[in-house]
Structures are given as C-alpha cells and as structure tokens.
C-alpha cells in the first residue's frame, strides 16, 4: 500500500510541476475575441468518480486532486463513489492549476480464485471546470473526457487475464492550467 500511495503522490506532483500541453477537452466553442473572455467572471469545480463493486473487489482507487486553494490532496476511494464540488467562485480566486487524477492498483499480487459466473467492471467520471459570466449562465466547460464511463462484463478467464496484465492504471488524468482560459487572445 505504501508503494501505491507513493506512486499516486509522485503522479500528482508530476502533474503539478509539468509544463506539457494541457490534457483538456472542451465541449464548447473557444471564444475568439477579448470581449468574450471578459465575460468569464466565475468558475465552478465538479470532480465526481464512481466504480462498481466488482472492480473495487480487485483494485484500490486513489484520487489525487488540487482543491480550490491549490492544495494537493490524496483520497482513497471508500464505498463506490467520491466527489469534490465547489460553489461558483469569482475568477480572481481561481488556483493556477486544476488537477484530478484517479489511479487504480491491484489489491493482491496473486490473482485470487474467481468464483462468479461473470464480473461487471465499470467506472464513471464527471470531471469538469465550468466558467460562467456575471449572470451565472455557463460560457465554457473544460471536462475530463473524452471517455466519461467504461464498462466490461468479464468471464472469470477474461478477468484473470486482465488482472495478470494490469496491476495498475490511470483512469482519469485531468490537468488544466488557469492560463488556458485567461489568456485567450
């Protein structure tokens, strides 16, 4: 478990420090002039992640994220869902970077006996930062897509193969620099 926590913290630290292109998906058109960008007066963070019971049976889920103040946090998924959501906040209070990373690591080194007829592995994520104008209407949303959910019904043999090949994986990798929406000139 210590290696698991260390791996997630290193991943989160890497994202907090990297200067690569932002890994974002926007489902709104990009404003093209300064008049449009001046309308962005507030933002809201919405990070939600849920996972099936069968998936949780074999994997631990660690969520690394930066809160509204820009502080790094690491949570372990307890139960089937996790969320971090803020109310609408003035744009001048936005942190320099928005980050939400979900990492899955297999619980056991050995593959346990698989006794069910079939296993349902799935997860859903709704990761977004929404910008709004002064009247509260949404202007632009940056989300953690392109895949909002994944689902797989596996036979014991297929699940065994996945467990052998996949000891850990990143399911959500959302990093958004504040500059992505403040310097649209």
């Amino acid at each position: 478990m210590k290696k698991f926590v260390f791996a997630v913290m290193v991943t989160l630290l890497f994202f907090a420090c990297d200067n690569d292109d932002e890994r974002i998906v926007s489902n709104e058109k990009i404003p093209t002039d300064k008049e449009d960008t001046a309308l962005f007066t507030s933002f809201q963070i919405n990070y939600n992640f849920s996972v099936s019971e069968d998936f949780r049976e074999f994997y631990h889920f660690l969520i690394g994220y930066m809160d509204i103040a820009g502080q790094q946090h690491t949570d372990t998924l307890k139960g089937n869902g996790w969320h971090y959501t803020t109310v609408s906040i003035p744009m001048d209070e936005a942190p320099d970077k928005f980050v939400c990373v979900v990492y899955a690591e297999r619980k056991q080194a050995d593959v346990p006996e698989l006794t069910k007829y079939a296993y349902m592995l799935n997860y859903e994520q709704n990761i977004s930062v929404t910008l709004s104008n002064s009247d509260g209407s949404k202007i632009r949303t940056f989300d953690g897509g392109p895949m909002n959910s994944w689902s797989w019904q596996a036979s014991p043999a297929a699940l065994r193969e996945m467990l052998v090949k996949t000891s850990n994986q990143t399911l959500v990798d959302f990093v958004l620099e504040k500059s992505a929406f403040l310097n649209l000139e």
Side-chain angles (χ1 to χ4, degrees), residues 7-176:
V8 171
M9 292 306 292
V10 168
T11 302
L12 184 57
L13 182 61
F14 172 76
F15 288 122
C17 297
D18 85 4
N19 288 324
D20 293 340
D21 293 334
E22 292 82 32
R23 292 167 288 282
I24 57 174
V25 175
S26 175
N27 60 3
E28 304 275 335
K29 81 173 197 167
I30 296 174
T32 55
D33 59 28
K34 290 182 182 180
E35 184 176 322
D36 284 344
T37 62
L39 296 176
F40 297 153
T41 59
S42 61
F43 71 97
Q44 183 174 10
I45 297 173
N46 183 40
Y47 299 157
N48 289 288
F49 178 80
S50 62
V51 66
S52 68
E53 184 178 332
D54 284 346
F55 210 166
R56 287 191 334 264
E57 182 178 341
F58 301 104
Y59 288 87
H60 294 285
F61 296 87
L62 225 61
I63 300 133
Y65 68 101
M66 294 178 103
D67 68 14
I68 193 66
Q71 299 297 313
Q72 295 179 6
H73 297 271
T74 302
D75 289 348
T76 301
L77 182 72
K78 292 176 175 42
N80 66 345
W82 172 89
H83 73 277
Y84 176 77
T85 304
T86 65
V87 296
S88 186
I89 297 169
M91 189 63 72
D92 60 351
E93 296 178 25
D96 291 334
K97 187 179 283 196
F98 300 90
V99 176
C100 185
V101 177
V102 179
Y103 182 79
E105 183 172 272
R106 201 170 73 223
K107 288 181 177 181
Q108 300 174 356
D110 298 329
V111 176
E113 182 179 355
L114 303 174
T115 58
K116 290 184 181 178
Y117 175 75
Y119 294 85
M120 180 56 76
L121 304 179
N122 63 30
Y123 74 87
E124 292 184 21
Q125 61 92 0
N126 179 10
I127 308 294
S128 65
V129 175
T130 301
L131 307 179
S132 303
N133 65 12
S134 59
D135 69 2
S137 61
K138 294 180 182 177
I139 299 291
R140 186 167 181 199
T141 298
F142 295 88
D143 58 25
M147 191 165 75
N148 293 329
S149 65
W150 175 82
S151 184
W152 181 47
Q153 184 172 345
S155 68
L159 179 58
R160 177 177 308 286
E161 183 178 338
M162 180 189 134
L163 291 170
V164 168
K165 290 181 178 180
T166 310
S167 62
N168 58 61
Q169 58 187 322
T170 301
L171 302 177
V172 176
D173 182 6
F174 178 77
V175 179
L176 173 65

